[in-house]
Amino acid sequence: MVALARAPRRQPQAEVSDFESDVVEGLRAMPKHVPAKYFYDGAGSQLFERITDLPEYYPTRCELRILRDRAGDIAKLIPAGAALVEFGSGSSKKARIMLAAAPKLAAYVPVDICGEMIEQEAADLRPDFPGLKVLPVTADITQAFALPAPAKAAPARVGFFPGSTIGNFEPHEAAAFLRNAANILGAGAALIVGADLIKPVEVLNAAYNDAAGVTAKFNLNLLVRINRELGGTFKLDSFEHHAFYNRERSRIEMHLASLKRQKVKVAGDIFEFRAGETIHTENSYKYSIESLSALARGVGWRPAGVWSDPRNYFSIQAFRLGE
Ligand code: AVJ
């Protein structure tokens, strides 16, 4: 690292991270909540990778099957020389399928809040796709961010948002995301989105209450992270994983329920919990093909293709910008 003598310096003590302010604000609120994007520290990202292998967790397998079976068709949306911009990339497993199916791609831009993960992913990808520029960007995909110059200079940009991450947003936030993606990708863009579909409630509930307890561990890891990074005093054995499908709102809700009346300290503040009170840690919205395309149309995207698995558990939906 090179220290620049005249660079303006900020006071480290005066700086409150987004994580700290979001957690403190969320724990002060009624009902208590913490944004789901904070699950993904190093341990959380690894736990999520384990979730994707669970027998009950169908979304990843369904999506991979659709991608493998239909990659050739989906790749027709990607013009020669284009840049593929992946929002919230995590592991590159799905991108690899698209990259192999679209050999004329000029650049791949994985964008993720977890910088460690995408740098590693980029290093793993480069030798396998020697002609491709792999240009990771560490950013929060809910905010505007700048694309690297070669991606800006490409004749077109295609967004890739697999994994049903869109389900973590409130519907109005999903619309805002789709609008932000349109602005970032620009004229002539296409967007490929993976979305989990509405299905029987038993299947949904099982996927978020696995027998091995990995999802519970993933949920509780948020408290581990708060304890470590924000000086929290959460006792892991006095909170419990709750996950259930909310039919009215077409979403899985995940909560951490306090098993007793207790006080917890976080970032110097004290938060009180009633017995049974929960921290709402995640919503995972389930869409129909029509409900997602309606949302996308509302912000200027035109439907350009839909692919799903034989049971219609999961969908990949494509959109284009313009008339
Ligand atoms: C990564 C948001 C798609 O909602 O299914 C998995 C996260 N949470 N198990 C999902 C998650 C609990 C996952 N997404």
Side-chain angles (χ1 to χ4, degrees):
M1 241 234 243
V2 181
L4 297 175
R6 251 158 283 173
R9 289 247 229 100
R10 279 199 249 158
Q11 299 283 82
Q13 311 92 302
E15 229 174 289
V16 172
S17 67
D18 288 351
F19 181 44
E20 177 171 335
S21 53
D22 288 350
V23 167
V24 167
E25 193 181 306
L27 293 180
R28 272 194 199 124
M30 263 292 273
K32 293 181 169 64
H33 58 89
V34 173
K37 64 183 176 188
Y38 294 119
F39 281 136
Y40 303 93
D41 64 350
S45 297
Q46 278 177 13
L47 284 164
F48 179 68
E49 291 304 312
R50 280 176 61 197
I51 288 175
T52 64
D53 282 333
L54 293 169
E56 298 94 337
Y57 194 77
Y58 61 84
T60 311
R61 273 188 304 279
C62 286
E63 187 175 39
L64 284 170
R65 167 139 186 227
I66 301 167
L67 283 173
R68 286 187 185 119
D69 290 353
R70 313 304 293 277
D73 258 9
I74 301 169
K76 287 182 187 148
L77 288 149
I78 306 175
L84 187 72
V85 179
E86 182 172 7
F87 296 94
S89 51
S91 100
S92 62
K93 208 166 171 185
K94 293 161 195 165
R96 276 179 181 274
I97 301 171
M98 292 312 300
L99 297 178
K104 289 182 178 153
L105 263 177
Y108 169 56
V109 181
V111 184
D112 202 285
I113 195 169
C114 183
E116 264 173 81
M117 191 111 170
I118 42 166
E119 291 297 340
Q120 183 57 51
E121 177 194 328
D124 292 347
L125 271 172
R126 285 185 187 110
D128 296 338
F129 298 92
L132 186 74
K133 295 190 184 92
V134 181
L135 310 164
V137 172
T138 303
D140 181 340
I141 57 164
T142 65
Q143 309 293 314
F145 59 85
L147 289 175
K152 275 194 215 159
R157 284 142 299 280
V158 177
F160 185 43
F161 194 34
S164 201
T165 309
I166 194 160
N168 272 171
F169 299 139
E170 290 302 309
H172 75 275
E173 294 170 339
F177 168 82
L178 293 169
R179 190 182 288 117
N180 187 39
N183 291 336
I184 289 168
L185 298 170
L191 180 63
I192 301 161
V193 183
D196 197 13
L197 296 173
I198 295 166
K199 64 181 60 59
V201 62
E202 310 78 49
V203 179
L204 288 166
N205 281 332
Y208 294 83
N209 289 283
D210 61 289
V214 183
T215 308
K217 212 166 170 197
F218 172 73
N219 199 3
L220 285 158
N221 179 61
L222 186 63
L223 303 184
V224 178
R225 182 176 183 186
I226 292 171
N227 284 353
R228 185 185 59 242
E229 295 184 24
L230 306 179
T233 61
F234 282 106
K235 291 198 192 81
L236 295 202
D237 55 4
S238 49
F239 285 85
E240 192 174 70
H241 167 70
H242 282 191
F244 56 88
Y245 187 59
N246 178 334
R247 269 181 201 276
E248 287 72 50
R249 312 191 72 171
S250 300
R251 70 190 193 196
I252 286 281
E253 294 186 13
M254 292 216 311
H255 296 257
L256 289 164
S258 177
L259 294 173
K260 57 180 192 196
R261 215 183 130 179
Q262 58 182 316
K263 289 182 183 161
V264 177
K265 214 169 167 184
V266 176
D269 282 359
I270 293 189
F271 300 93
E272 295 188 29
F273 288 82
R274 291 173 277 111
E277 184 176 2
T278 78
I279 308 171
H280 190 169
T281 51
E282 183 173 41
N283 287 319
S284 183
Y285 280 88
K286 308 307 171 187
Y287 284 94
S288 64
I289 286 156
E290 298 72 29
S291 63
L292 185 64
S293 65
L295 209 64
R297 276 179 194 280
V299 295
W301 291 100
R302 282 181 297 129
V306 183
W307 298 271
S308 61
D309 56 297
R311 291 180 298 189
N312 282 316
Y313 275 9
F314 201 92
S315 65
I316 293 183
Q317 306 191 37
F319 304 97
R320 254 192 239 282
L321 225 48
E323 319 74 279

